[in-house]
Amino acid sequence: MRISAISPVFALLLLTGCGAATAGAEAKPSLPPASAEPSAETVAVDTEEQSCLKLLGTGGQGPLTRVISAVKIGDGTTGVEMSAEEARPLHDEVLAIATDAPVEIAPLVKQLSSPTENVLRKAENPDASWNLDADIWTTTAAELQTRCEPYEPVS
């Protein structure tokens, strides 16, 4: 009894081609909608040279030099000689450079901003802990200086 009820269903599928239409639809790749926004991979990224030129700035007073000059490390302590008002624009500038930097140096540029991030966090919450790893930050700053040295303007 069951076999006789199923046979007409299979016959109908074979005659109407529903199985073929379904298989054909599954075989076609789906295309993104025309209004889809570009992925992060298609967004333009600065070259290492462009990022370094932004970090170096003009006259040796770029964000790289300004952050390095403000950080004080010694006798097992770290500090930043900069107010929150001074730190905010510098922090934002360094983060903007990190956002556009190539993947090879973006994490280094982000790490460069950790001292200003600490200043801002302490200004917002004086009880917040100071989280600057002097060894990591010093290594990062030195590596950025080394990588950017070839792009320094000749005086």
Side-chain angles (χ1 to χ4, degrees):
M1 179 89 173
R2 285 186 172 168
I3 294 176
S4 60
I6 294 175
S7 295
V9 173
F10 284 127
L12 182 62
L13 285 174
L14 289 174
L15 289 175
T16 61
C18 289
T22 304
E26 290 173 1
K28 293 180 185 176
S30 63
L31 298 175
S35 64
E37 293 183 23
S39 69
E41 297 163 351
T42 61
V43 175
V45 174
D46 286 345
T47 63
E48 182 172 302
E49 179 178 7
Q50 291 168 322
S51 295
C52 282
L53 289 172
K54 289 178 183 179
L55 286 169
L56 294 169
T58 56
Q61 292 304 310
L64 179 60
T65 301
R66 293 191 334 256
V67 173
I68 290 171
S69 297
V71 175
K72 303 303 175 202
I73 301 172
D75 298 328
T77 63
T78 61
V80 179
E81 292 180 349
M82 183 178 290
S83 69
E85 292 77 26
E86 296 168 317
R88 170 63 61 199
L90 181 56
H91 184 70
D92 291 344
E93 184 178 5
V94 172
L95 289 181
I97 295 169
T99 299
D100 294 338
V103 296
E104 298 83 13
I105 67 167
L108 298 172
V109 179
K110 172 75 172 97
Q111 179 64 36
L112 180 71
S113 74
S114 61
T116 52
E117 180 180 351
N118 274 286
V119 169
L120 297 172
R121 187 174 50 245
K122 288 293 276 182
E124 291 172 8
N125 179 4
D127 294 331
S129 63
W130 185 260
N131 295 322
L132 178 62
D133 184 318
D135 292 333
I136 291 173
W137 186 85
T138 303
T139 301
T140 297
E143 184 170 347
L144 281 171
Q145 284 180 310
T146 301
R147 289 182 83 141
C148 290
E149 186 176 23
Y151 309 114
E152 283 187 41
V154 178
S155 331

